[in-house]
Amino acid sequence: MKHNNTFRLNRFLGLIGTGIYKRKNSKTLTFTIWVGILFLFVLLNQLISNLEFDSARIVVTRVYQISYIVFLSVPVFRLTFNEQMSIQWNLLPASAFEKNLYSVLGMLIWRSLLFFIVVLGLDYLLWSGSPFIESMGMEMGQCRIRLTEFFTFGITDTIMPRWVSYVLVFFFYTSIPILAGISNNTSLHREYAFTYAWSAYIIFSTFINYCFKGGKEYEYLVIVFGCAGIIGLIYNIIFSITRSCNTKA
Amino acid sequence: MIFKEKLSIYLQIAERISDEILAGAYSPGSRVPSVREYAVMIEVNLNTVMRSYDTLQSWGILEMKRGLGYFVADNAVQTILARRREAFISTQASEFFETARTLGVTPDELADMYKTFIRQK
Amino acid sequence: MIEVKDLSIGYSIPGNTPQIFTHSDDYDSSEIVLRGLSLKIESGKVYGLIGRNGVGKTTLLNCISGLIWKNSEKKVFIDGMPFSNGNPNLSSRIFYVTDTTPPIHVRVDKYARKLSMFYPLFSMDCFNECVELFGLNYKEYIDNLSLGQKKMAFLSFAFASNASHIILDEPTNGLDITSMRTLRKLIASNMTDDKTIIISTHHINEISSLLDHIIILNNKNAVFDHSVLEAGRVLSFVESDKETDKEKALYSMSSAYGNRMILPNTSGIDSEIDYELLYEAVLDDSNRINSLFK
């Protein structure tokens, strides 16, 4: 029993770690360009400092949210086990559930960590002491954006407890790529499906933002999609365990 | 006439180890490599080498001491020579004699040839 | 131990992924690779799997390794338990080195460490030993290695995994003479009573000294499935230039010195096996050869 649990833990750690490897021929240039784009976002942050306080904050938050999503989807970093390795991926001693869920989870975690370190770090380093910070009433050393605001499009404390909103929005953010990732037969298309899903998501969320501008209707939409996301996620987890699949070997 | 029937690998290995004992590579009473060591050395299946060692044990050439390994029997050399003498007489000698007879070589000529050979050595 | 029970695999659409068929499935419009194959592969033995190109060796190995399966019908059993992909308890007992090794952009040592998380008995010491013996560079990216080096890297992973069933598909492809010797030594030194090694090969002579058991595939099934020991006991492999011997032979092939022949073994002394001759004989008339075995 004890040995079994250690084995399970090792598989979990091993699969989480598969989210991190660099794709071959991903030039340092591409990475630099990406960092440069983020830098531009940070610059944009400064340029809009003469807007009204609340609008500025919302726009800044949206910009960071969108760049986060872009980062998650851009295949600069590729999973270790890509289509060239689908046979090796299938041979790896882990259940389909473990492989799909943990590797995508791992990728989300690693990329998110990287994003926060780079973006927020950059932001803090470059712009501490700017008039914009002062106008927001924040002190030096504080995060420029409050992380709570980063993760939500709007919280409705009157409808439900705060934690429910958090959970729903978390699923909203994560369900689409997991949906796209798990529903494919092999890891062959996972990376691309992931990217397409996220691109669609970016477009959709931007559209929603501008239409509803954080109004009540938008928040209901968030709740609906959050539930759909949960259902989709559960369905795909079950599906990936029970499906019968053959590998083109 | 060429009629070659090669012995199974495990028997060939047994003969090879016997050769090594005769050549002095392993002296009577000394330890021979373990089954695994020997198998790795000559790149042969473990079970095959196991069979060789078992065969040599049954012939009285090797002795197995529990926990210590395989050792060359004290009278291994004599045992090997006796086995080979018998094998020589029953197969090689009779083949040789058959060839000699076919070619018309007389027993006296054979005896002379052998005496000359011994003298030269 | 691996057991294959009544396995039939084919392609319902030629060129597509292979699928397992059962009796209830419609076979007619399909291309069958293996029909009703049953095997029992025991622990502590080295198995040689031979057959001509396209006969189904790789397909069989893919099935045994869990790459091809059907949830409703379990055809492969590992240590008595039905096996299909996705059961890590069982799939961690197998390490399969495929014929073509993938160009993975990960360093050799990093990949080993990754694999060690999935194989509970993985030994880094054994891995290091293999890498030294093969003369590989730990820090090299796998996709930068030559064909032979990639093979050696994966063979190192295989032995280091300490999986109880090591399956090698054409392991000698791309290996030079020295590496081939290293492979033989590794197979010889890694065998234990609870391990099984299955080697599929065209170059039977490269590894013949290591085999315990031979399986020959032909005509969509295993036409020869006997131990090397029994084959040597039941059959006699001789070389003779006497034409009269040829008449008694079960099968014969010309050679530089006369004829290589298989005769029933009446001398009571185990014979060395001429694998090429055995293979040709079995392909020619497997029933004639098999009738001599119990």
Side-chain angles (χ1 to χ4, degrees), chain A residues 56-77:
Chain A
R57 275 192 49 166
I58 289 168
V59 174
V60 165
T61 314
R62 297 293 172 261
V63 160
Y64 277 124
Q65 283 167 335
I66 291 171
S67 58
Y68 171 61
I69 292 159
V70 168
F71 176 50
L72 285 182
S73 59
V74 167
V76 170
F77 297 99

Side-chain angles (χ1 to χ4, degrees), chain A residues 3 7 10-11 13-15 17 22 24 80 84-85 87-88 90-95 242-243 245-249, chain C residues 15 17-19 62 67-69 71 85-86 88 91-92 96 98 102-106 114 117-120 143 154:
Chain A
H3 179 256
F7 186 27
N10 279 337
R11 285 203 303 272
L13 293 172
L15 285 167
K22 221 165 68 139
K24 192 189 182 180
T80 313
Q84 291 169 321
M85 290 174 53
I87 294 175
Q88 299 302 318
N90 282 307
L91 286 173
L92 209 60
S95 65
T242 59
R243 78 177 186 277
C245 157
N246 291 316
T247 310
K248 188 170 187 135
Chain C
T17 54
Q19 292 184 320
N62 285 344
L67 291 176
I68 308 171
W69 84 96
N71 261 330
N85 188 286
S91 46
S92 59
Y96 180 28
T98 49
I104 307 169
H105 191 64
V106 181
K114 183 120 284 254
M117 319 226 41
F118 296 90
Y119 290 93
D143 51 357
F154 274 85

Side-chain angles (χ1 to χ4, degrees), chain A residues 5-248:
Chain A
N5 285 331
T6 318
F7 186 27
R8 223 175 266 141
L9 179 67
N10 279 337
R11 285 203 303 272
F12 173 74
L13 293 172
L15 285 167
I16 291 274
T18 60
I20 198 174
Y21 289 98
K22 221 165 68 139
R23 172 165 81 163
K24 192 189 182 180
N25 298 329
S26 78
K27 317 266 187 242
T28 325
L29 184 64
T30 318
F31 182 71
T32 316
I33 291 174
W34 177 78
V35 171
I37 291 173
L38 281 180
F39 184 80
L40 286 174
F41 282 138
V42 174
L43 186 66
L44 181 69
N45 178 8
Q46 261 301 298
L47 294 175
I48 55 165
S49 61
N50 49 353
L51 288 179
E52 247 184 60
F53 181 68
D54 277 339
S55 317
R57 275 192 49 166
I58 289 168
V59 174
V60 165
T61 314
R62 297 293 172 261
V63 160
Y64 277 124
Q65 283 167 335
I66 291 171
S67 58
Y68 171 61
I69 292 159
V70 168
F71 176 50
L72 285 182
S73 59
V74 167
V76 170
F77 297 99
R78 175 170 283 205
L79 294 177
T80 313
F81 297 95
N82 56 24
E83 66 266 15
Q84 291 169 321
M85 290 174 53
S86 61
I87 294 175
Q88 299 302 318
W89 180 247
N90 282 307
L91 286 173
L92 209 60
S95 65
F97 171 79
E98 283 172 327
K99 282 182 203 176
N100 286 317
L101 186 63
Y102 297 158
S103 62
V104 174
L105 203 64
M107 190 167 70
L108 286 176
I109 293 171
W110 285 115
R111 289 191 185 190
S112 303
L113 275 175
L114 204 59
F115 176 84
F116 285 116
I117 292 166
V118 172
V119 172
L120 299 181
L122 260 180
D123 200 38
Y124 171 71
L125 282 171
L126 295 170
W127 306 113
S128 44
S130 75
F132 189 63
I133 291 189
E134 283 154 20
S135 72
M136 285 175 80
M138 287 166 86
E139 287 165 10
M140 256 180 63
Q142 269 187 338
C143 267
R144 291 292 300 277
I145 313 166
R146 294 198 208 106
L147 287 180
T148 52
E149 286 177 343
F150 181 89
F151 276 110
T152 61
F153 282 88
I155 300 168
T156 53
D157 289 335
T158 49
I159 301 176
M160 65 193 83
R162 178 77 62 95
W163 67 268
V164 175
S165 317
Y166 279 131
V167 167
L168 284 177
V169 178
F170 172 74
F171 276 112
F172 187 23
Y173 266 88
T174 56
S175 62
I176 294 178
I178 291 181
L179 225 91
I182 293 181
S183 66
N184 285 296
N185 259 349
T186 66
S187 61
L188 215 66
H189 304 295
R190 179 173 48 189
E191 184 75 17
Y192 297 115
F194 189 90
T195 312
Y196 297 144
W198 274 115
S199 308
Y201 177 72
I202 295 163
I203 297 167
F204 174 75
S205 64
T206 317
F207 174 71
I208 291 289
N209 271 313
Y210 284 110
C211 282
F212 294 96
K213 289 190 170 49
K216 266 257 174 354
E217 304 88 343
Y218 176 73
E219 284 166 356
Y220 287 134
L221 214 60
V222 169
I223 294 161
V224 166
F225 274 100
C227 292
I230 296 170
I231 294 168
L233 185 64
I234 293 173
Y235 169 76
N236 276 287
I237 289 172
I238 295 172
F239 181 66
S240 71
I241 301 172
T242 59
R243 78 177 186 277
S244 165
C245 157
N246 291 316
T247 310
K248 188 170 187 135

Side-chain angles (χ1 to χ4, degrees), chain C residues 196-214:
Chain C
T196 311
I197 299 184
I198 304 174
I199 306 172
S200 139
T201 183
H202 292 296
H203 310 121
I204 185 80
N205 287 320
E206 304 285 1
I207 47 129
S208 59
S209 60
L210 292 162
L211 301 176
D212 281 297
H213 201 108
I214 305 281

Side-chain angles (χ1 to χ4, degrees), chain C residues 179-245:
Chain C
S179 319
M180 222 137 18
R181 290 198 60 207
T182 306
L183 173 62
R184 283 199 290 267
K185 286 191 193 290
L186 281 173
I187 293 174
S189 64
N190 273 281
M191 274 313 286
T192 56
D193 283 336
D194 52 358
K195 283 219 180 110
T196 311
I197 299 184
I198 304 174
I199 306 172
S200 139
T201 183
H202 292 296
H203 310 121
I204 185 80
N205 287 320
E206 304 285 1
I207 47 129
S208 59
S209 60
L210 292 162
L211 301 176
D212 281 297
H213 201 108
I214 305 281
I215 299 174
I216 302 179
L217 291 186
N218 198 36
N219 285 335
K220 308 186 198 301
N221 214 318
V223 290
F224 186 90
D225 180 10
H226 298 289
S227 67
V228 163
L229 185 66
E230 217 193 331
R233 212 153 269 181
V234 153
L235 301 169
S236 203
F237 293 81
V238 307
E239 226 174 296
S240 163
D241 58 1
K242 247 171 56 182
E243 283 306 306
T244 47
D245 282 335

